[in-house]
Amino acid sequence: MTDTPAPSDAAEDDGPARGPDAAPLRPSILDPLFALARTLPGIGPKMAPMIERLLGTPEQPARIVDLLFHLPQGGVARQLKGSIAEAPPGEPVTVGVTVVSHRPAQPGAGRRPHRVLVEDPTGDIALVFFGMPRARVEKMLPLGAHRYVSGRIDLWDGHRQMVHPSRITDEAGLAALPAVEPIYGATEGLTSRAISKLAHAALDRLPILPEWQDPAWLERHALPPFADALRAEHRPEEAPAPRREDGTPPPRTAARRRLAYDEILASQLALALLRARQRRKPGRRNAGDGRLAGRIEAALPFGLTSAQTRAVAEIRADLASERRMLRLLQGDVGSGKTAVALLAVASAVEAGRQAALMAPTEILARQHFERLGPMAGPLRLRLMTGRDRAAERRATLGDLAAGRIDVLVGTHALFQDSVVFRDLGLAVVDEQHRFGVHQRLALGAKGEAVDFLVMTATPIPRTLALTFFGDMDVSVLDEKPAGRQPIKTLTIPVERIDEVVAGLERALARGERAYWICPLVAESEFIDLAAAQERFEDLRRHFGEAVGLIHGKMPGPEKDAAMERFAAGGTKVLVSTTVVEVGVDVREATIMVIEHAERFGLAQLHQLRGRVGRGSAASSCLLLYRGPLGQVARARLEMMRESEDGFRLAEEDLRLRGEGEVLGTRQSGLAAFRLASLETDADLLEAARDDARLVVERDPGLRGARGRALRVLLYLFERDAAIRLLGAG
Ligand code: ADP
Ligand code: MG
């Protein structure tokens, strides 16, 4: 593979404008869909800003594709009810009636409406119009005419009536009515019906696109073509089934599943291309003969759990192969990821290469460094952070380039251009979801055929792992080291805080230590800080100098000092905002108090709780809450009492709150899907991943007939970046 595509490929597939860096041009067949929405007929100067508010952003005005992907949330059936007598009161209905008489509003008689008496063989009702000109009502409903009226029938003053029918039509008009009126997420000034009209206009612009799905798959699952599916969604013929009694969503229509599958396949294909590119450069064998790893393992103060042993074996097999490793190591807090990483690193060093270990914050980088040190035996470790003095830094860079450092531990600082390895072979990245894929690529560029091990302590439900890390292989540490005691979890109303403080006093007298996490308020770190400071002073009045404080606004060295005082026992209670890193390890800490626990998500509560129970002493977690609790908050706190299984809690969190919260990516704009929903379409993920991998295996350049159609799919869902990978690497 060369870095630039052969010119003939470029001309053939994507038009002329393609360089190694620029994304190739979008196929012109998609142009009509990426035209601005405001070019549609019927959008005047009044409506345009409303469309932008609904579907556009300042950087990206709404396009026709955005309108088409703005699917209705539901539909209202306009079924024909047989008769007036049987029409259920208060429900939308359509009835066929004959006009019997008019009683127009009397001029000057206040707000008296124009009433029209209509009947069918089973009874009669009054149609009621307020403030509408008499001539207009009479024209819509001529005496003796037969009409179909839609609306709700209500009982008023003993008479049945329909106020302002939503539709009045004759036989021909009825035939043209949609059986179901789609209901869209609307915006101020823009009604659902207006959106529906625009969606219809947008459908008219839908080009004929090549089929990118495997026809056999479509047939097996009875899925319609893409265009038909879009039309079926915007012009529904059946009202969607209601949510089931247990609150789970109803099964989706074939049309909706088709669209969801398209979107999911696009994302999985993008990941598969990324994976293929990472692996395409021939890897090098990055595992040695086991002499260093063996020595290190033998010197560990514990034996590995079988989960650790399995993970180490999987990693070593990857390192030893000619392919490049891209592996996610998932393990709950305390599951022992560090030892696994250390043994991986040792393998690479045996093979004569260097390793980098990258953590998201200074405090974690420092802790990794300090904890690895005593276990690392013959490995030469070095820490590099943004806080190093210039001379220190120069020395580190010199030693790194000369190969006098085996393992460099650090933060984002490792990305900088000035950081040059003699021969980087393995990069271990902790808590990857805070780093983007781009940063991963940047680190990968610092060596030849760099193997990647990504560690995360956030248990990621399988569905999410596939969505965001579908390009990776996964090792799971699903077993805790032996000898850990369960953490006792209690929920306590904040009114009983005095009892908590009294209990804390007894625990401190026994020599235990405690974290006290302060509420997460609004979005402001300053407000969080004020609350933490107040609690700190409060507890100081009780426990004096034994109370420490740590928060995100502290300068780094102060943070470290506060953490170190607590770790060394200088302080016994550490009051903290949530910014304190989850990985920090103080074995004597046995009590975790979390204020306003009702404001945290399950995954976060679980992470915080995981900071106690690291030693062999019994630990507890006290969840203070302020009532009254909403349903979700109550469910969450109950789950916390019930379970210590991070994966189970994460699945539950996903169900309760959605994916962005679980991964902590909500703010980072890592939006998942527009058409698919992880709640209902999770089962499609695996199929899409397998399909995508197969495609990339058979047709890595996407040049065959299906491959070309799949390029259109990637553009349609704006995974353009993946297309760039086709040419490069
Ligand atoms: P993680 O990073 O996955 O949260 P760590 O690697 O920090 O977990 O390990 C948590 C603690 O458990 C550390 O103090 C570590 O020394 C210890 N530990 C790791 N593996 C084992 C094991 N197999 N048996 C006993 N203790 C272990
Ligand atoms: Mg860790």
Side-chain angles (χ1 to χ4, degrees):
M1 217 49 205
T2 53
D3 272 331
T4 40
S8 62
D9 294 345
E12 216 174 280
D13 296 339
D14 302 305
R18 180 154 93 165
D21 287 327
L25 290 178
R26 178 166 50 225
S28 55
I29 191 174
L30 289 175
D31 287 350
L33 294 181
F34 286 86
L36 294 184
R38 64 173 96 100
T39 61
L40 282 172
I43 300 194
K46 234 175 88 190
M47 199 185 258
M50 296 179 197
I51 291 283
E52 295 308 335
R53 193 158 358 120
L54 182 68
L55 300 169
T57 65
E59 302 81 46
Q60 178 59 74
R63 300 149 309 174
I64 286 175
V65 68
D66 299 318
L67 198 50
L68 288 173
F69 286 174
H70 184 64
L71 298 181
Q73 297 161 343
V76 175
R78 306 216 155 260
Q79 295 148 280
L80 192 61
K81 288 288 169 191
S83 64
I84 286 178
E86 282 161 23
E91 304 259 329
V93 288
T94 298
V95 286
V97 296
T98 306
V99 180
V100 179
S101 66
H102 278 257
R103 201 170 74 203
Q106 298 304 311
R111 253 179 65 79
R112 290 270 305 283
H114 183 142
R115 306 174 76 87
V116 184
L117 191 69
V118 299
E119 65 174 18
D120 77 354
T122 69
D124 55 27
I125 51 171
L127 307 180
V128 182
F129 300 89
F130 287 92
M132 195 179 281
R134 173 178 178 169
R136 213 168 123 204
V137 181
E138 284 174 349
K139 190 163 168 235
M140 283 191 299
L141 296 158
L143 272 182
H146 193 257
R147 289 287 181 271
Y148 291 90
V149 296
S150 305
R152 292 170 209 279
I153 297 179
D154 295 306
L155 209 58
W156 193 77
D157 210 9
H159 297 285
R160 304 204 317 144
Q161 63 177 33
M162 183 186 280
V163 180
H164 283 238
S166 56
R167 226 188 265 272
I168 298 171
T169 183
D170 58 13
E171 203 74 49
L174 184 73
L177 265 190
V180 179
E181 179 163 317
I183 304 299
Y184 291 88
T187 183
E188 206 181 310
L190 197 57
T191 62
S192 178
R193 188 166 298 168
I195 297 172
S196 173
K197 269 195 189 150
L198 292 174
H200 285 197
L203 283 173
D204 291 341
R205 302 277 183 95
L206 201 58
I208 295 174
L209 299 174
E211 179 57 77
W212 45 73
Q213 297 290 2
D214 173 22
W217 158 273
L218 292 178
E219 198 176 334
R220 191 145 26 98
H221 295 268
L223 298 180
F226 171 76
D228 291 1
L230 264 186
R231 281 190 204 103
E233 278 297 310
H234 290 291
R235 295 184 185 136
E237 282 174 4
E238 281 170 41
R243 273 179 107 81
R244 286 190 272 236
E245 239 159 57
D246 63 357
T248 56
R252 308 196 121 191
T253 59
R256 192 66 170 238
R257 282 178 80 71
R258 161 74 209 228
L259 297 175
Y261 192 69
D262 285 340
E263 183 171 38
I264 290 172
L265 183 64
S267 93
Q268 290 298 311
L269 185 57
L271 285 169
L273 289 169
L274 180 65
R275 171 190 165 93
R277 176 202 146 112
Q278 299 253 13
R279 296 185 164 217
R280 195 176 306 146
K281 284 188 200 143
R284 284 167 49 180
R285 295 174 170 275
N286 281 341
D289 51 12
R291 89 203 117 87
L292 292 178
R295 248 163 82 190
I296 290 170
E297 189 181 334
L300 287 177
F302 46 77
L304 296 182
T305 64
S306 54
Q308 283 171 317
T309 305
R310 192 177 55 230
V312 169
E314 285 164 349
I315 293 165
R316 282 186 61 89
D318 282 355
L319 291 175
S321 94
E322 304 257 312
R323 288 184 330 177
R324 298 176 73 179
M325 173 168 80
L326 197 52
R327 185 170 284 278
L328 182 67
L329 176 62
Q330 272 198 59
D332 214 339
V333 230
S335 58
K337 293 184 292 295
T338 316
V340 174
L342 179 65
L343 294 171
V345 161
S347 286
V349 176
E350 283 161 15
R353 308 197 64 188
Q354 290 168 299
L357 194 158
M358 199 162 58
T361 65
E362 299 254 354
I363 209 168
L364 277 178
R366 212 167 279 279
Q367 183 180 295
H368 271 304
F369 179 73
E370 278 157 15
R371 297 233 317 269
L372 286 170
M375 298 195 274
L379 301 184
R380 294 166 299 177
L381 301 189
R382 186 76 59 87
L383 177 69
M384 187 170 96
T385 77
R387 261 190 259 149
D388 295 347
R389 277 190 297 271
E392 237 176 323
R393 190 185 157 79
R394 227 172 342 205
T396 298
L397 292 178
D399 289 345
L400 191 66
R404 287 187 294 267
I405 294 174
D406 296 319
V407 187
L408 185 64
V409 181
T411 56
H412 292 74
L414 302 196
F415 289 128
Q416 290 158 2
D417 286 340
S418 55
V419 177
V420 178
F421 290 80
R422 187 182 60 79
D423 188 5
L424 178 64
L426 170 65
V428 181
V429 183
D430 200 4
E431 293 290 342
Q432 125 106 16
H433 57 266
R434 301 196 211 179
F435 296 115
V437 166
H438 292 281
Q439 286 165 308
R440 196 167 87 202
L441 291 173
L443 193 61
K446 289 195 176 293
E448 190 198 323
V450 177
D451 282 319
F452 269 95
L453 179 66
V454 172
M455 304 198 289
T456 173
T458 312
I460 304 172
R462 177 147 183 81
T463 49
L464 285 189
L466 279 172
T467 309
F468 292 100
F469 306 104
D471 57 331
M472 299 191 184
D473 297 307
V474 180
S475 294
V476 182
L477 297 182
D478 49 7
E479 179 189 3
K480 290 240 169 118
R484 298 277 160 78
Q485 296 199 26
I487 300 170
K488 193 167 155 202
T489 300
L490 301 170
T491 53
I492 303 171
V494 71
E495 290 77 24
R496 287 168 50 197
I497 194 167
D498 288 347
E499 292 169 43
V500 173
V501 172
L504 199 57
E505 193 161 353
R506 290 191 294 274
L508 296 194
R510 291 193 298 267
E512 299 180 29
R513 273 172 241 170
Y515 291 101
W516 189 298
I517 306 295
C518 279
L520 179 77
V521 180
E523 317 274 67
S524 159
E525 212 173 301
F526 284 105
I527 302 176
D528 286 358
L529 180 54
Q533 214 123 31
E534 201 172 303
R535 182 60 66 210
F536 167 67
E537 277 151 27
D538 223 41
L539 290 171
R540 272 235 154 162
R541 277 194 284 280
H542 242 92
F543 303 115
E545 295 296 304
V547 185
L549 174 68
I550 187 169
H551 59 76
K553 289 274 172 238
M554 273 179 166
E558 260 180 60
K559 240 194 273 186
D560 288 355
M563 200 66 228
E564 272 152 28
R565 260 199 309 283
F566 181 66
T571 50
K572 313 270 187 214
V573 180
L574 187 60
V575 176
S576 128
T577 54
T578 50
V579 293
V580 175
E581 284 314 322
V582 290
V584 177
D585 198 1
V586 178
R587 301 187 138 228
E588 294 79 2
T590 55
I591 299 174
M592 169 63 67
V593 181
I594 304 176
E595 274 193 66
H596 275 298
E598 78 278 5
R599 294 188 180 163
F600 292 86
L602 272 177
Q604 208 179 0
L605 288 174
H606 177 67
Q607 291 285 354
L608 290 169
R609 180 170 62 182
R611 284 204 268 156
V612 296
R614 298 203 145 204
S616 50
S619 298
S620 51
C621 175
L622 310 180
L623 303 174
L624 295 186
Y625 66 88
R626 188 180 296 280
L629 291 179
Q631 211 176 349
V632 169
R634 184 182 307 276
R636 242 187 246 150
L637 295 183
E638 257 159 41
M639 277 299 296
M640 282 298 293
R641 266 206 325 241
E642 256 169 48
S643 177
E644 259 192 78
D645 177 342
F647 282 94
R648 176 149 175 244
L649 290 171
E651 294 279 1
E652 211 44 42
D653 214 22
L654 177 62
R655 211 173 60 76
L656 291 172
R657 298 201 307 164
E659 63 267 21
E661 302 271 1
V662 178
L663 281 178
T665 51
R666 201 166 46 109
Q667 280 88 359
S668 67
L670 221 177
F673 295 119
R674 296 207 271 178
L675 307 181
S677 136
L678 290 175
E679 196 185 5
T680 44
D681 304 315
D683 57 317
L684 297 175
L685 270 165
E686 242 158 298
R689 188 197 55 172
D690 294 345
D691 193 14
R693 288 196 177 182
L694 204 65
V695 164
V696 172
E697 219 169 86
R698 288 189 185 153
D699 182 11
L702 300 187
R703 297 188 198 292
R706 186 172 180 215
R708 285 153 181 270
L710 283 165
R711 286 179 178 229
V712 175
L713 176 71
L714 287 171
Y715 279 110
L716 180 62
F717 286 99
E718 298 176 78
R719 312 276 168 173
D720 307 17
I723 296 188
R724 201 170 310 154
L725 299 175
L726 290 175

